[in-house]
Amino acid sequence: MSPRLAALLPDLVKGVRAAIATVVPFFLARALDRPELAWVALGGWLASLADPGGAGRTRAIALVAFLLSGTSAVLLGTLAAPSPIASVIVVAAIVFGASLARVLGGAAAAMGTMISIAAAIAAEATRSPPLVAAGWFALGAVWAIALASIVWPVWPHMPLRGPTARVYDELAQYVDAIAELARRGERDPAAWSAVARERQRPVRAALETASTAMVELRARRFGVSAVGANTRTLLGEAEAEFFKLIGYADELEGRPATDGDLAALTELAASYRETRDQLLTRRAGTWRPDSAPTAPSRLARELVVTSRLVVDVSRDLDVLPTAEASHLATPHVVHPNATAARDALSWRSPAFHHAVRVTLTVIAALLVGRFASPKHAQWVSITALAVLQPYLGPTLVRVGERVVGTIAGCMIAIGLIMTFASPAATAAAMFPLAVIAVVTRPRSYRLFVLFLTPVFLLVADRGSPTFETAFVRMLDVAIGGAIALVASIIRPSWERARLPDAVCDVLDAVGAYVTTAFAGADRAQLAAARRKVGIALETAEASLERMLAEPRRLQHGAADAVMLLTYTRRIAAALTALGESHRHVELAPELRAYVLAELAAAKQFVATGERTPAREPPAGVDPALARLVHHAELVGRVATSHMLAA
């Protein structure tokens, strides 16, 4: 099996399971002339989309929560359906609670959207007996859960092997980018900063995802298995390699790359990809270097040696080594808790603001839908729910993708209506569409909507759509997208107001890393400090990207934010390079005080606009620390000459 197909396999499996959960009850509804079985298809489809994947315990909790919440939403929605006022109140309450679930993470946010969609559909089902509709919906959800957990479960360690393979794939791409700059002899700091900004974030995100999967998988298993222990070792080594790569890139930026450096980078990329392939396919590869590393840098030689050990471990996942190669402690993963949920109920919380906005939008969509599209009013509200995001920029993108994908999907649905008349033929045509919709969901929202639309038309319209239904669907999507767009513009949640806080968090994290490094902390403490810097940088970069999607008048200070994030990242990289090179360099207290003072001055200016007089850098600094001093000076210069004040 090719690595590309192996990476796609989990989504293919999930897509086939979702198609079975949806198409089988759909076929029975048509063949037996039992339209109420469409609720089974709807429950199976939404439960399949709500499946978060990952460790079994996490999936079980999420799916049971969806079963109970979704069934309750259908029951309440159908009970209130005969009364227009009651149905609006019930749906609004469900949508508000489901929207607040966003604070519990991405999986909870996706599940909240599915529950809201179920409630919106049920609120328009005036002819469905409440207990019957809820019972069939619950049966569909149970049917999907049984398929995913009992009939066709995933491999025990794939929830960890897959994310760990993704880490090594991102590391290989990071190495490729470094190698390209090194081959060109690039001396422009902007080019190196762009690589750091674009390639380090995916590595950090992949590491956090894999670390979460590792902790959850380990928590539900007793004892030690060879595959689990070796995969955890590979993940620990990936994080160590990442820190060293940051330092090595910082080193190459300051000097010309030699042939030994280029050979080391080539081998590193091949080694990381070999490890990725072993984790995904478990098939022996052919690549195996046996020559001694020739790179002039100690960091490069350590990277190469460790990468070769990693390849060996990946080839023998079933064999426990005499001692684990990783020297890092298990990463600590912070899960959402009751405090986060309580904070979300504060009026100052962005999550609370978004929940109120979504609720009011759904109310407007329900009312407009009943006037503009009496037979399919739920489609207007479903569209508004699906495209409305907490920020204006992503909402604009979602609206465009939803409209384009729906129009193309309706064309496919019309073709199905014209071509297939029998229930069996229609179900056979729906099956691959459902599979492809699930496969494309994490990759392209536009494609997901394209393949989802025909399936949704057939299921939601009780299996008997017409040409008129397809055209009404296009009109309803346009109306729902317009309502969501208006809602996002009225009292929008501007990212410009939050960017200074995100930049201040980066400055605090880098300051803590400086303090930890100068205090002579051990490797575990340094790794924890680096992780906090990486998370803060990722959050600030995401905030900056959202701000750049806002109106141009709100983008003032963006260039200064980019500069501050660039220089603070370089401070962290310089410390990482120093720590991983194992060179004994005296870290004078005066240097520590200077770096922290520049970071504090930058934070004060970003938060309040107050300037601090420029400081002179300490004299007689060790050449190995010159880059650290230079980057700290640039941070202070940005804070005293630019305008990123809140």
Side-chain angles (χ1 to χ4, degrees):
M1 182 185 300
S2 68
R4 186 181 299 273
L5 180 59
L8 195 64
L9 187 59
D11 288 333
L12 280 173
V13 171
K14 187 174 181 180
V16 173
R17 291 189 312 211
I20 294 173
T22 306
V23 173
V24 170
F26 166 82
F27 170 75
L28 294 176
R30 293 284 303 276
L32 302 177
D33 194 22
R34 297 288 299 275
E36 65 272 16
L37 292 180
W39 285 108
V40 180
L42 182 65
W45 177 251
L46 294 182
S48 299
L49 295 182
D51 186 352
R57 179 174 178 271
T58 302
R59 292 180 61 248
I61 293 175
L63 291 174
V64 170
F66 173 81
L67 170 63
L68 298 177
S69 303
T71 303
S72 299
V74 171
L75 178 61
L76 293 174
T78 48
L79 282 172
S83 170
I85 296 177
S87 62
V88 169
I89 294 174
V90 168
V91 173
I94 293 173
V95 167
F96 180 76
S99 298
L100 283 180
R102 181 178 295 272
V103 300
L104 300 178
M111 186 186 306
T113 300
M114 302 306 159
I115 294 170
S116 299
I117 289 174
I121 294 174
E124 301 299 326
T126 55
R127 297 181 181 180
S128 296
L131 291 178
V132 172
W136 286 123
F137 181 90
L139 179 61
V142 170
W143 164 233
I145 294 171
L147 279 174
S149 304
I150 300 174
V151 178
W152 198 348
V154 296
W155 296 277
H157 291 93
M158 184 54 77
L160 178 56
R161 282 169 46 205
T164 305
R166 175 68 180 275
V167 172
Y168 278 95
D169 185 57
E170 295 293 350
L171 283 174
Q173 295 184 51
Y174 184 25
V175 172
D176 289 340
I178 296 172
E180 177 61 25
L181 294 181
R183 289 189 190 94
R184 298 202 316 251
E186 185 65 65
R187 301 270 69 86
D188 183 6
W192 289 91
S193 296
V195 166
R197 184 171 60 252
E198 295 169 5
R199 296 306 331 155
Q200 288 181 17
R201 285 179 60 193
V203 178
R204 169 55 58 192
L207 279 169
E208 292 301 318
T209 299
S211 297
T212 302
M214 177 187 68
V215 172
E216 293 176 347
L217 189 66
R218 188 68 186 93
R220 72 181 180 89
R221 298 181 69 86
F222 297 95
V224 177
S225 67
V227 175
N230 284 327
T231 307
R232 291 192 297 273
T233 295
L234 292 176
L235 179 58
E237 291 299 343
E239 188 161 18
E241 293 275 283
F242 178 46
F243 294 147
K244 291 181 180 180
L245 273 176
I246 293 174
Y248 187 34
D250 190 68
E251 180 182 305
L252 288 175
E253 182 184 353
R255 64 170 176 82
T258 66
D259 290 341
D261 289 313
L262 297 178
L265 290 169
T266 300
E267 180 176 335
L268 281 174
S271 177
Y272 295 151
R273 288 191 169 93
E274 168 76 7
T275 303
R276 174 203 64 188
D277 296 350
Q278 293 294 332
L279 285 167
L280 290 175
T281 66
R282 301 298 308 277
R283 293 179 62 182
T286 58
W287 178 84
R288 185 182 179 85
D290 53 8
S291 59
T294 59
S297 166
R298 179 173 181 175
L299 259 181
R301 293 194 297 271
E302 288 185 358
L303 280 165
V304 169
V305 169
T306 304
S307 70
R308 293 178 180 180
L309 294 175
V310 161
V311 171
D312 288 338
V313 172
S314 70
R315 290 180 171 181
D316 296 317
L317 278 180
D318 298 320
V319 180
L320 275 176
T322 55
E324 289 200 15
S326 178
H327 51 263
L328 296 178
T330 299
H332 176 67
V333 180
V334 179
H335 296 279
N337 50 32
T339 302
R342 185 173 61 250
D343 292 343
L345 294 175
S346 169
W347 174 247
R348 296 182 178 181
S349 167
F352 186 86
H353 291 173
H354 180 62
V356 172
R357 181 183 291 108
V358 172
T359 303
L360 296 177
T361 301
V362 168
I363 292 174
L366 285 171
L367 297 177
V368 172
R370 286 174 178 173
F371 173 78
S373 181
K375 293 183 179 180
H376 303 285
Q378 69 271 23
W379 288 352
V380 177
S381 55
I382 289 172
T383 300
L385 278 169
V387 301
L388 184 59
Q389 303 296 304
Y391 310 101
L392 176 60
T395 300
L396 293 173
V397 174
R398 276 290 179 95
V399 169
E401 292 181 336
R402 186 84 178 190
V403 171
V404 172
T406 298
I407 293 175
C410 284
M411 296 298 103
I412 296 176
I414 291 173
L416 292 177
I417 296 170
M418 294 176 60
T419 306
F420 303 108
S422 69
T426 306
M430 283 178 58
F431 194 91
L433 293 175
V435 173
I436 299 173
V438 174
V439 171
T440 56
R441 186 186 179 205
R443 294 166 175 82
S444 170
Y445 183 73
R446 187 186 299 108
L447 291 177
F448 168 65
V449 173
L450 169 65
F451 294 106
L452 167 71
T453 298
V455 177
F456 189 81
L457 271 175
L458 294 169
V459 172
D461 207 39
R462 303 298 187 268
S464 301
T466 62
F467 293 111
E468 180 186 358
T469 304
F471 288 116
V472 169
R473 171 69 174 168
M474 287 187 266
L475 178 62
D476 290 344
V477 167
I479 295 173
I483 292 173
L485 190 58
V486 171
S488 64
I489 294 174
I490 298 176
R491 192 177 172 81
S493 177
W494 300 119
E495 192 63 29
R496 182 62 185 79
R498 287 186 289 272
L499 180 61
D501 291 337
V503 175
C504 287
D505 289 343
V506 172
L507 294 168
D508 286 339
V510 174
Y513 183 23
V514 170
T515 301
T516 303
F518 275 75
D522 58 31
R523 296 184 65 88
Q525 292 172 315
L526 288 172
R530 292 166 182 165
R531 187 178 301 113
K532 290 179 180 178
V533 171
I535 293 172
L537 280 168
E538 181 180 350
T539 302
E541 293 280 4
S543 177
L544 178 61
E545 290 172 359
R546 289 194 294 265
M547 190 191 81
L548 293 176
E550 294 176 350
R552 188 172 296 276
R553 63 183 176 80
L554 296 175
Q555 295 180 15
H556 62 280
D560 307 319
V562 171
M563 298 299 288
L564 274 177
L565 295 178
T566 296
Y567 296 143
T568 50
R569 188 193 299 275
R570 287 170 174 270
I571 291 175
L575 284 174
T576 300
L578 185 66
E580 296 296 343
S581 66
H582 304 293
R583 292 182 56 185
H584 178 70
V585 179
E586 183 178 354
L587 301 175
E590 296 82 6
L591 176 59
R592 170 184 174 275
Y594 172 75
V595 175
L596 292 178
E598 294 297 281
L599 292 171
K603 179 182 177 182
Q604 178 180 348
F605 183 73
V606 170
T608 67
E610 297 180 8
R611 300 176 183 272
T612 302
R615 298 172 179 79
E616 289 295 327
V621 175
D622 189 298
L625 300 171
R627 296 177 68 81
L628 177 63
V629 174
H630 178 63
H631 298 325
E633 184 180 7
L634 291 175
V635 166
R637 192 177 299 171
V638 170
T640 56
S641 62
H642 292 78
M643 296 295 294
L644 184 68

